[in-house]
Amino acid sequence: MRERGEQGSALVELSWLGILLLVPLLWIVVSVFDVQRGAFGVSGAARAAGRAYALAPTDPEGRARANAAARQALEDQGVRGVPVSVTITCTPYPHDCHSGTSVITVRVASRVDLPLLPSFLGGHAPSFALDATHTVPIGQFQEIDRAAP
């Protein structure tokens, strides 16, 4: 009986080991990039929503503009089809944000679904929650008449 050698088995073992380690590593890299894209998008959405709200003439119109600006900023970063929550608070005049020396704080919350993960484990695909805040004083984005004496 001839004894079978192990010649050539290292290549097979290395190939399988490479595949088993490369696939999870690739998933981790893609997931990190998706979460980073979402975080950058949420941060930009909070800034855009704050500016849009501050430039609006009234509070109700400001809320509508802030929501639209936040959604547009997220879409610009490739974050589509996720729920977006825009919360606006004002101090020291919480019921009239466009008066006096109000300071507007905008909080945008969203999530990023992790790629290539099945939803059979829980009902929804696993996701990563993201939020950002931005503070804008009234008058920061308003034009000032410097011609007055």
Side-chain angles (χ1 to χ4, degrees):
M1 233 176 163
R2 254 173 89 172
E3 198 173 299
R4 186 175 164 186
E6 295 201 18
Q7 185 177 6
S9 67
L11 181 62
V12 173
E13 290 171 5
L14 184 64
S15 298
W16 278 108
L17 187 61
I19 289 171
L20 290 175
L21 293 176
L22 186 62
V23 169
L25 183 65
L26 183 63
W27 178 82
I28 289 170
V29 169
V30 169
S31 296
V32 166
F33 285 146
D34 277 354
V35 170
Q36 182 61 34
R37 180 182 61 207
F40 188 70
V42 169
S43 176
R47 283 192 314 271
R51 290 177 186 144
Y53 190 88
L55 289 172
T58 63
D59 289 349
E61 188 173 340
R63 290 190 192 282
R65 287 184 184 184
N67 283 323
R71 290 187 190 284
Q72 183 63 46
L74 285 171
E75 286 182 15
D76 287 347
Q77 293 301 319
V79 181
R80 293 178 180 89
V82 295
V84 179
S85 169
V86 179
T87 307
I88 301 167
T89 57
C90 304
T91 54
Y93 308 108
H95 300 292
D96 188 13
C97 295
H98 286 86
S99 65
T101 57
S102 288
V103 176
I104 302 165
T105 302
V106 178
R107 180 180 179 269
V108 175
S110 186
R111 66 180 167 88
V112 173
D113 294 330
L114 297 178
L116 305 173
L117 279 182
S119 60
F120 70 85
L121 298 174
H124 297 293
S127 61
F128 199 87
L130 301 168
D131 68 89
T133 59
H134 185 69
T135 303
V136 179
I138 285 293
Q140 181 176 357
F141 298 109
Q142 303 284 334
E143 185 175 321
I144 299 173
D145 184 17
R146 298 215 185 257

